[in-house]
Amino acid sequence: MYPVPFADVDQAVEMALLAEQLGFDGVWGNDHVSTQRYVRGEFGAPPRFYDPVTYLAYVAATTTRLRLATCVLVLPFRHPVLVAKQAATLDLISGGRFVLGVGVGAYREEFEAMYPGRDVHRGRYTDEFLQGLAQLFGQRQASYAGEYIEFADVESFPKPAQDPLPILSGGNSAGSRRRAATHADGWLPACLTPAEYAEGLAEIRDRRAAADRDDRPFEAAIQLVVSLADRHADAVAGFRSSQVHTHLASLGASTMRGRLGDSLELRNLIGTPDEVAARIRDYQNAGVTSFAGLLFAANTVEETTEAMQRFSEQVILPLTRPGAA
């Protein structure tokens, strides 16, 4: 689901199996229905964007403990009655391992490709979607009527195995933080510094308390890029030469507004193994509980699997089993 010509379907599954073997906690799949303009301008061949729900269902059957998460499912592409059915089914067949990360979508061009001429405020649509989804998960007979979404007398069964099914609000915007507090069970921004994350999390906690939701489970997650090398300069160079760096630059008018330039290296896991481990501790001290959606600064499947192995051996193992490395 990398935004460049990348993995075929067999490789995509093999990477998930490798992640479980290497001690990673989950596989987080992105969501695209069409190719972004910047990708079309750079590559002759289009990327292979697999449907994340279908892909994760297959991975559920081939793994035993990995969490299976969308990072993120773009809600304006879909209707809540359908997503409620898909999410409950995937959660049940995986034994309660599904995590529903959601967002408004970073590229409006994809929405316009599906709905040309339709004027929809994606933030308000996402608010209504989450309100409707709560009805579908929580009620036997669910109905909802909003500005964009409407359904009546729907019996959506079976319900998810997890109660509640974890729903994480993806994105860095004020709307994402508000939805995390009022409609979701977690926050999933990208490329924030530890200080920025702590500030956003404090705002969410205040909002949750005001809404009498602070007794519900809450997952503080983050999406980060990983570039690991023996020398700091080499890690920075690897990051800057990767397609994931180009991808972040393409988000300069949306998700990454005001967060480009040299500061990107301070908003991700870039450096030597010791530096990255220290950075992870900084994020943990800021309140992060899940390092989700780790994007490795690599341009091929082979480079990615090598980076995964190195991260497992030089970062995960020392952090989780001190003295074992």
Side-chain angles (χ1 to χ4, degrees), residues 222-242:
I222 192 168
Q223 305 174 61
L224 298 169
V225 177
V226 176
S227 182
L228 207 61
D230 292 335
R231 296 173 60 248
H232 182 87
D234 292 338
V236 171
F239 172 51
R240 292 182 179 177
S241 65
S242 69

Side-chain angles (χ1 to χ4, degrees), residues 255-267:
T255 305
M256 296 305 298
R257 184 183 292 113
R259 294 181 171 89
L260 298 178
D262 292 341
S263 69
L264 269 179
E265 292 152 22
L266 304 177
R267 301 170 184 277

Side-chain angles (χ1 to χ4, degrees), residues 77-255:
F77 294 166
R78 297 173 170 80
H79 192 280
V81 172
L82 174 61
V83 171
K85 182 67 66 177
Q86 292 175 316
T89 300
L90 181 48
D91 198 44
L92 287 163
I93 65 174
S94 67
R97 292 188 280 149
F98 183 49
V99 180
L100 181 58
V102 302
V104 303
Y107 297 94
R108 187 173 180 85
E109 64 205 63
E110 290 187 81
F111 178 84
E112 293 173 344
M114 296 179 66
Y115 303 106
R118 186 181 180 190
D119 185 17
V120 170
H121 188 285
R122 290 176 296 159
R124 292 201 300 271
Y125 185 97
T126 299
D127 288 341
E128 292 186 11
F129 194 113
L130 293 174
Q131 292 166 7
L133 198 62
Q135 294 295 314
L136 291 160
F137 284 158
Q139 305 295 326
R140 173 168 179 168
Q141 295 164 318
S143 299
Y144 183 83
E147 179 183 1
Y148 300 114
I149 293 172
E150 185 173 358
F151 56 87
D153 194 26
V154 175
E155 283 198 342
S156 185
F157 280 83
K159 305 300 185 187
Q162 300 174 85
D163 184 17
L165 178 81
I167 299 175
L168 310 187
S169 176
N172 296 357
S173 69
S176 171
R177 296 192 297 274
R178 176 180 51 76
R179 283 184 284 273
T182 58
H183 299 312
D185 310 291
W187 186 36
L188 182 58
C191 302
L192 299 181
T193 66
E196 290 169 339
Y197 195 95
E199 181 179 357
L201 189 58
E203 175 192 331
I204 291 169
R205 286 172 172 161
D206 288 343
R207 284 180 176 269
R208 283 171 60 82
D212 292 327
R213 300 185 80 242
D214 51 351
D215 59 336
R216 292 170 58 96
F218 189 84
E219 183 166 356
I222 192 168
Q223 305 174 61
L224 298 169
V225 177
V226 176
S227 182
L228 207 61
D230 292 335
R231 296 173 60 248
H232 182 87
D234 292 338
V236 171
F239 172 51
R240 292 182 179 177
S241 65
S242 69
Q243 278 299 322
V244 71
H245 187 277
T246 304
H247 172 60
L248 293 178
S250 77
L251 299 172
S254 56
T255 305

